Amino acid sequence: MNNKRVITFGTFDVFHIGHLNILERCASLGHTLIVGVSSDMLNYSKKNRNPIYPQNDRLKIVQSLSFVDEVFFEESLEKKREYIKFYKADILAMGDDWQGKFDEFSDVCDVVYFPRTPSISTTKIIEIAKGI
Ligand code: CTP
């Protein structure tokens, strides 16, 4: 095990196996895993809907995972560089739906993209639950 600090970001609404898999993969890259959980306001501006689970619940679920070390609310997409520096992250890891989108941070940390877990997303679960 190295001593690297890994950071990742997400909404993690209606927590599912895809979320668990990516957080596990992120944790396997280093010693410390820091997770930025989108605030309700940021989520609304990104996805144009309120999350099903409020931010405190989403944060608590992510924080409860044994391989997650630190959590915080991501309040603004514009602050990614600030968060990476503040949490002294060596690696930024994201799902490959973000492929290439965070390469601009490769001057301050390594940037890694993992394949998404197929066939599941929060959006899909909500649609199934609504009978769409
Ligand atoms: N993720 C993943 N595999 C999935 C779903 C999500 O690896 N099947 C990853 C995303 O790539 C991201 C993190 O989990 O790095 C958080 O994604 P989030 O947007 O919160 O979850 P989604 O299920 O993609 O939510 P939505 O459908 O609302 O976009």
Side-chain angles (χ1 to χ4, degrees):
M1 160 110 60
N2 60 47
N3 61 357
K4 296 206 166 159
R5 293 171 63 79
V6 183
I7 195 165
T8 190
F9 297 88
T11 306
F12 305 103
D13 190 22
V14 191
F15 196 87
H16 59 67
I17 190 68
H19 295 147
L20 189 60
N21 287 340
I22 192 153
L23 291 173
E24 230 172 17
R25 286 173 184 155
C26 290
S28 74
L29 291 176
H31 176 268
T32 304
L33 177 59
I34 304 135
V35 184
V37 175
S38 305
S39 68
D40 288 343
M41 269 177 64
L42 174 58
N43 193 78
Y44 192 85
S45 69
K46 250 185 355 186
K47 301 191 179 179
N48 226 17
R49 62 167 165 76
N50 282 316
I52 304 289
Y53 297 171
Q55 61 183 32
N56 288 343
D57 293 358
R58 291 183 287 108
L59 189 94
K60 193 171 175 183
I61 289 167
V62 172
Q63 189 173 35
S64 73
L65 299 170
S66 58
F67 44 82
V68 170
D69 299 287
E70 292 177 49
V71 288
F72 66 95
F73 285 122
E74 181 186 17
E75 305 279 358
S76 158
L77 293 178
E78 271 67 57
K79 286 190 178 167
K80 278 231 165 47
R81 182 174 290 274
E82 227 173 273
Y83 294 132
I84 292 167
K85 287 186 177 169
F86 181 81
Y87 287 100
K88 299 187 185 349
D90 302 294
I91 303 171
L92 166 63
M94 293 294 298
D96 65 3
D97 42 326
W98 296 99
Q99 187 71 46
K101 301 254 169 61
F102 296 118
D103 290 357
E104 64 183 284
F105 303 121
S106 55
D107 58 332
V108 282
C109 64
D110 291 339
V111 182
V112 174
Y113 304 96
F114 286 117
R116 275 169 74 91
T117 301
S119 312
I120 188 153
S121 70
T122 299
T123 305
K124 205 170 198 174
I125 295 168
I126 294 170
E127 284 174 2
I128 290 166
K130 281 184 176 164
I132 295 171

